[in-house]
Structure formats: structure tokens, C-alpha cells
Amino acid sequence: MIKKILLGLVLLVLAIGAYAYYTVMVAPVVPENGGEQIVVTVPTGSSYEQVMDTLAANGIRPNRLFFDPIAERMAFKREDMRAGRYRLQPGLSTVDLIRELRTAKRQTADVVLNVEREFPNVAAKAARFLEPDSLAFVTLMQDEDYLKSIGYTKETLQTLFLPNTYELYWNSTPQEFMERMIKEHDRFWTPDRTAKAKVQGLTPAEAYTLASIVQSESLAKSEQPRIAGLYLNRLKRGIALQSDPTAVFANRVFGIKRVLFKHIELDHPYNTYVYPGLPPGPIAMPTLSAIEAVLNPEDHDYIYMCAVGDNSGLHNFAKNAAGHARNKAIYVANLKRRGLR
């Protein structure tokens, strides 16, 4: 009788052990999810229980009777949970899941900057892809001591950023983001590009600022070098730029269809109808083609430009006031033809 009881106990222990082994080492706890990875985000400062809640919210609900002691034994259950974004393969077992979460692999994110108007827009875009919120980015970007330490002001900070796609760690801090932007800026402004800017009488920041005006005037890459040459002619001759996009920026009336006298008369440092030379900083993030247009401008004598008015987005150019008057007449005639005037 005793032998039968002992045998029964042994079999029970073996059964429990087999079940435990299967539950921990074999049974999948990460759902199949149609074969797709499950992305789990663990914010900085998360507790163990918060991580478990996050897993549950993503459909991952391991048996806590086995998971918790294994997590503790594998040094995963602790106060300072590793933050990160984890891409979990479907079908992972309890042990495999803990190994994945414990390794703290820093997942990357692609931060896409695409002609953002001002640095708060850059901050908002970075926050879409990275862990810190936009306020954290803006706060750093407005910190005058920090800006001074990296050689910028609030007006010139936008010249740091270039449109591109940047791979960064998901939990990169605002400081790390800025360090990456500085690195990319310095990489772009090679000695050759810096020398080309100098030939035009510009610093890299000034070339960027002028490029932002060129970009705002025309999206057509084909005429950007001509527009750049026109504004450089005006700068060299001491003629006010009189750029409509700068008046739009000064008035903060983005999206208007026509610039009126009240817009160009506004006393504002960014309004190039009122103040000669370049504005204190860029009015947008220019495309790389616009920057290259400023560095490699078309050589001509044009100092006037006027939209064609035929919905092409292109411009006619003139060397004098008489030619400009003719181009304005063409513009008006095209608007009338289209029923817009």
C-alpha cells in the first residue's frame, strides 16, 4: 500500500514537473498573431506590474504562477525595468519571452523630417517616433543656455535640421536627438559646400535661410537655381528681397492665396519688404535641392520674378522694371482666363 502511495506521489510529481516544463519551456505565450511580430513598448520608469499589464494589453498573458518565479530567477523581475520597444516573435515560450525582455535590445525608429516649418514642428515630429513627448523636445530647444552651448539661437536653430529619415533608438533622449542632428548637419556641410556658400558671400546658416525662401517661392527644382540667382543678385546690389513668403511668415497667415498690401507693410524683422537683407533665420526647412540651388545658382541678371499664373507654379523673370511690368500683365491675364480675377 505504501509503495503504491509513493509511486502515485512520484507519478504526480513527474506529471507536475512535465506540466511545468511544458508551460515554461514549450507552450507559446506570445499569440500567433497571423505570423506577425507583436510590438511591445515599455516606457522608461515602468514597474514590473506595469510591464505585465502592457503585455496583457497586447494579448500576452502568461501563467503568473510559473512566470513570476522564473522571471525572478532570471533577474527580470526587479524595480528598474529596462525600457524599450520590443518586437516579439509569435509563439515564444515563457522562458524565451523573458529572455527577449531581459536583453533590453534597443529597438530603433525611423524619424522622418520633411520640410518642417519651425523647430516646434521638428519637436512634434520627433515625438511621433521617439519616446519623449514634444514638450521635452521643445523645452530643450528653447533653453537659451543649451542653445548657446551648441552655437545657436532660437532664430537660427532651424538651420540645424535637414530633411531626411534618421534611424535613432526609440528611447533616445532629446539631447541624444540633438547630438544626432548636429552630427548630420556637420556631415552635410562639407568643406566643398561651405566654400560654395562663401563664394556667394554667405555662411552655411545664411545659405540655409535663403534656401528656405527659394523653397517657399517654388517647388519646381528646375527653376530654384534661377530664383536663388535672382535673390543673390538683389543681396549683392543692396536691393530688398521683397519676398512674399517672408511677409506670409511674418504675418503668420500660412495658406493664404494672395499676399495683400497689409501683409507686406507689417513692421516685422522677417518681412523682407520692410527690412533689407536676409531675415534673422529661415522661414521653413528647405529641401536639399533648394540648398543646392543656393550653392550652385544660375548666373544671370534677373532681379524680378512674377508667377506665370497658369497654375503651373512657375515664374517669369525680368532684368528691369519694364520687363517685370510685362510679366505682371501676363499674370493678370492668365488669372482672368482662369476666372480668378
Short mmCIF file of all heavy atoms in Angstrom, two decimals, residues 78 99 113 185 232 340:
data_model
loop_
_atom_site.label_atom_id
_atom_site.label_comp_id
_atom_site.label_asym_id
_atom_site.label_seq_id
_atom_site.Cartn_x
_atom_site.Cartn_y
_atom_site.Cartn_z
N ARG A 78 12.30 43.01 -11.29
CA ARG A 78 13.05 43.93 -10.43
C ARG A 78 12.41 45.31 -10.53
O ARG A 78 11.46 45.53 -11.29
CB ARG A 78 14.51 44.00 -10.86
CG ARG A 78 14.69 44.38 -12.32
CD ARG A 78 16.13 44.25 -12.75
NE ARG A 78 16.32 44.80 -14.09
CZ ARG A 78 17.47 44.81 -14.71
NH1 ARG A 78 18.55 44.31 -14.13
NH2 ARG A 78 17.56 45.33 -15.91
N ARG A 99 13.64 36.09 -21.80
CA ARG A 99 14.96 36.37 -22.38
C ARG A 99 14.92 37.59 -23.30
O ARG A 99 15.81 38.44 -23.27
CB ARG A 99 15.45 35.14 -23.15
CG ARG A 99 15.98 34.02 -22.27
CD ARG A 99 16.28 32.78 -23.09
NE ARG A 99 16.82 31.70 -22.26
CZ ARG A 99 16.85 30.42 -22.62
NH1 ARG A 99 16.33 30.07 -23.82
NH2 ARG A 99 17.35 29.51 -21.82
N LEU A 113 11.96 63.67 -41.03
CA LEU A 113 11.82 65.13 -41.06
C LEU A 113 11.63 65.54 -42.51
O LEU A 113 12.46 65.19 -43.36
CB LEU A 113 13.07 65.80 -40.47
CG LEU A 113 13.39 65.49 -39.01
CD1 LEU A 113 14.61 66.29 -38.55
CD2 LEU A 113 12.20 65.76 -38.10
N HIS A 185 24.24 67.54 -39.50
CA HIS A 185 24.48 68.88 -40.03
C HIS A 185 25.94 69.04 -40.43
O HIS A 185 26.26 69.52 -41.53
CB HIS A 185 24.09 69.91 -38.97
CG HIS A 185 24.46 71.32 -39.32
ND1 HIS A 185 25.72 71.84 -39.11
CD2 HIS A 185 23.73 72.33 -39.89
CE1 HIS A 185 25.77 73.09 -39.51
NE2 HIS A 185 24.57 73.42 -39.99
N LEU A 232 20.27 86.34 -54.89
CA LEU A 232 21.68 86.67 -54.68
C LEU A 232 22.03 87.97 -55.39
O LEU A 232 22.81 88.79 -54.87
CB LEU A 232 22.57 85.52 -55.15
CG LEU A 232 22.56 84.29 -54.25
CD1 LEU A 232 23.21 83.10 -54.95
CD2 LEU A 232 23.30 84.58 -52.94
N LEU A 340 -10.20 83.76 -62.18
CA LEU A 340 -9.79 84.04 -60.80
C LEU A 340 -9.66 85.54 -60.52
O LEU A 340 -9.25 85.93 -59.44
CB LEU A 340 -8.46 83.34 -60.50
CG LEU A 340 -8.49 81.82 -60.62
CD1 LEU A 340 -7.09 81.25 -60.38
CD2 LEU A 340 -9.48 81.21 -59.63
#
